[in-house]
Amino acid sequence: MKRTMQCLLAVAGLALCASASAQIKLVNKDSKAHDVLIKCSSSADSSIAGSSTRDIGKGPCTVTVKSTKSSRSASGKGELTIKDGKFN
């Protein structure tokens, strides 16, 4: 019984690691913060601090930088990078 519990915990741990690594990352290479609209399974007004990275969801997701109307989509383990107020 103890061995079975250890196996179940190991499998659960691997599943958590796999789901955490499947997050889309939003990267802001600018020194200033940007207001963004994030649309994944739902929409949310948000912001990202200057020179920072944050996980936004499993995707597919679309992010729009409000000041420039620049928009980009990603899914899976994608990364969306803002540089000079726009997506590259």
Side-chain angles (χ1 to χ4, degrees):
M1 184 65 145
K2 183 177 180 181
R3 182 82 172 148
T4 303
M5 183 59 87
Q6 288 174 337
C7 288
L8 287 174
L9 289 173
V11 170
L14 288 173
L16 286 174
C17 290
S19 67
S21 66
Q23 295 285 318
I24 297 170
K25 296 194 179 301
L26 178 59
V27 180
N28 184 3
K29 300 252 180 176
D30 296 341
S31 60
K32 70 174 197 166
H34 292 288
D35 291 326
V36 293
L37 175 63
I38 300 171
K39 292 182 182 179
C40 293
S41 58
S42 62
S43 296
D45 287 317
S46 190
S47 63
I48 183 167
S51 304
S52 66
T53 300
R54 63 183 277 202
D55 292 331
I56 60 171
K58 291 182 182 178
C61 295
T62 301
V63 179
T64 303
V65 179
K66 290 183 175 184
S67 61
T68 62
K69 306 292 189 240
S70 178
S71 183
R72 188 73 53 155
S73 298
S75 60
K77 293 188 283 185
E79 184 173 285
L80 302 172
T81 303
I82 300 169
K83 177 74 176 150
D84 299 324
K86 298 179 182 178
F87 288 103
N88 299 323

